[in-house]
Amino acid sequence: MSAKKPLDDDKKHKMPGIMNLFMPTCEEVSHLTSQSFDEKLSFRQKLGVKIHLMFCKWCRLYKKQLTQIRSLMKNDPLLIDTDLEKPEFNLSNDFKNRLKKSIEDNE
Amino acid sequence: MSENKISDPSTWVDKYSELLFKYAMMRLNNSSVAEDVVQETFMAALKAKDNFSGNSSEQTWFVAILKNKIIDHIRKASREINFEDIAPDSSDAESYFIKSGAMAGNWVPEKRPVDWKLDSNNLAEQKEFWKFLQYCLSVLPKNMAMVFVLREMEEEEPEKICNDLKIDPTNLRVIIYRARLQLRKCLEKNWIGIENEC
């Protein structure tokens, strides 16, 4: 897996021939992008990703999606209002009564 | 000590149990476990109620306690889970990239990401997202879901996750990568609902 393979000459990847030598593949970029959400990449890694993204729409979209997921995650609608309509998300009255009882007992 | 008193414990269940339960369900996807952590949260709140400073809202205070209980639970549950069976190429069915030939390393055409065209100010859209997120987390393999919840929902640092779950950084990297890859695909398929235009 470590040997550099030449990228496809697919229309989607119109990059100058010489760059192919340095360019990580989409798969490698998908790993590095995920990694960049958790830790700092090396200069070389950052550069490879950056150049790849200039030419690759799919990897740009992949990165955008991960960014969107992370930012959506910061706004839990539950903490704003609670109507997540999922039946198994509702507590039974029975359990609520037991809860009340144990609070009473332990207070 | 503080003049900001917490409300009467007999009112807690009516005020917060639904919210706490939903919050826990979202992250643990198991109702009896979610009930347990909610109960533990109330018990811990009773013990700590004199420390409530009123700097945050009562709800925020309860959620903070619950968060800790959830993380505790995941840490314990992770002992039963195999974090090793996640070799990068274990499952061909989920392979997102072309494996050989001139196109090796490229996205498999039907797995290519599409533009979600989201409107970040749209609250209804955000709610939709969370509904599908819940579904997509529930179909993710357990080890991936756990890591994802800790990292993305509870915003734990990678080093802490490694410590808590007793996995090494390389392993975490692979698991969280697989989780993101699968989750984004699941959201795309079910929430965004677009078939790929290739």
Side-chain angles (χ1 to χ4, degrees):
Chain A
M1 238 15 220
S2 62
K4 283 272 170 290
K5 299 180 193 78
L7 276 177
D8 63 290
D9 328 289
D10 191 50
K11 291 187 283 311
K12 280 98 194 175
H13 287 93
K14 282 179 286 192
M15 57 192 100
I18 183 94
M19 281 190 179
N20 288 350
L21 291 170
F22 307 103
M23 195 75 61
T25 64
C26 295
E27 183 165 14
E28 286 160 344
V29 168
S30 73
H31 278 279
L32 291 168
T33 303
S34 171
Q35 210 175 317
S36 74
F37 277 71
D38 304 317
E39 57 195 290
K40 266 191 133 69
L41 298 183
S42 72
F43 176 74
R44 205 198 142 87
Q45 288 172 323
K46 266 193 276 194
L47 189 69
V49 170
K50 204 167 182 170
I51 298 173
H52 182 104
L53 291 185
M54 292 195 315
F55 295 96
C56 182
K57 177 186 165 193
W58 320 115
C59 290
R60 278 202 301 276
L61 286 170
Y62 166 80
K63 184 178 179 187
K64 188 173 165 197
Q65 291 180 358
L66 294 194
T67 310
Q68 284 170 327
I69 290 175
R70 183 165 274 189
S71 78
L72 280 160
M73 215 67 94
K74 299 215 183 291
N75 288 310
D76 190 338
L78 196 57
L79 303 177
I80 306 165
D81 86 69
T82 57
D83 65 332
L84 266 188
E85 296 122 5
K86 268 250 152 191
E88 72 266 34
F89 274 24
N90 291 318
L91 273 178
S92 67
N93 283 331
D94 184 45
F95 179 69
K96 282 195 198 171
N97 289 333
R98 271 187 285 140
L99 270 182
K100 286 181 185 171
K101 179 95 175 51
S102 63
I103 288 179
E104 232 177 83
D105 292 347
N106 286 284
E107 208 188 327
Chain B
M1 257 197 272
S2 157
E3 37 199 298
N4 288 296
K5 282 267 190 56
I6 197 151
S7 64
D8 184 345
S10 65
T11 66
W12 290 355
V13 171
D14 288 329
K15 275 195 274 188
Y16 303 115
S17 64
E18 295 275 352
L19 171 94
L20 297 175
F21 180 68
K22 285 174 182 172
Y23 189 96
M25 272 301 283
M26 189 72 209
R27 285 147 183 87
L28 300 168
N29 191 41
N30 175 321
S31 55
S32 71
V33 174
E35 284 183 354
D36 286 350
V37 290
V38 169
Q39 168 130 21
E40 287 168 23
T41 299
F42 283 125
M43 293 303 114
L46 270 183
K47 278 200 192 116
K49 70 180 192 307
D50 296 331
N51 303 331
F52 177 72
S53 65
N55 289 334
S56 57
S57 77
E58 217 170 85
Q59 176 182 304
T60 309
W61 188 71
F62 277 103
V63 171
I65 299 175
L66 178 64
K67 267 172 176 282
N68 283 321
K69 298 292 171 200
I70 289 172
I71 293 170
D72 277 353
H73 172 82
I74 293 180
R75 190 187 303 139
K76 279 183 214 134
S78 72
R79 305 285 175 262
E80 324 268 290
I81 282 188
N82 186 355
F83 286 95
E84 307 297 324
D85 67 351
I86 188 78
D89 292 307
S90 55
S91 161
D92 278 346
E94 302 162 359
S95 95
Y96 290 82
F97 299 94
I98 297 167
K99 290 295 166 212
S100 58
M103 298 286 282
N106 277 279
W107 291 93
V108 169
E110 55 282 6
K111 302 278 178 66
R112 285 169 179 162
V114 301
D115 193 344
W116 290 356
K117 299 200 173 67
L118 301 182
D119 169 8
S120 55
N121 298 315
N122 186 335
L123 191 68
E125 199 172 81
Q126 288 181 19
K127 279 180 151 175
E128 280 289 299
F129 167 78
W130 279 78
K131 241 198 297 195
F132 285 100
L133 177 65
Q134 193 271 327
Y135 166 74
C136 289
L137 275 174
S138 75
V139 297
L140 217 55
K142 256 217 148 68
N143 51 4
M144 290 188 207
M146 276 182 177
V147 164
F148 190 83
V149 167
L150 289 178
R151 180 68 189 125
E152 298 292 342
M153 299 177 91
E154 299 308 325
E155 299 177 66
E156 296 271 2
E157 289 303 321
E159 302 81 57
K160 181 157 188 299
I161 299 175
C162 287
N163 275 332
D164 282 354
L165 304 188
K166 304 218 185 333
I167 51 181
D168 66 67
T170 315
N171 215 342
L172 176 69
R173 209 179 276 158
V174 176
I175 297 169
I176 189 94
Y177 166 72
R178 304 287 290 178
R180 285 175 177 139
L181 207 56
Q182 291 194 26
L183 204 81
R184 60 145 285 277
K185 186 63 196 160
C186 176
L187 287 167
E188 188 166 284
K189 197 169 145 206
N190 295 283
W191 175 40
I192 310 287
I194 312 168
E195 274 316 302
N196 207 319
E197 70 229 83
C198 285

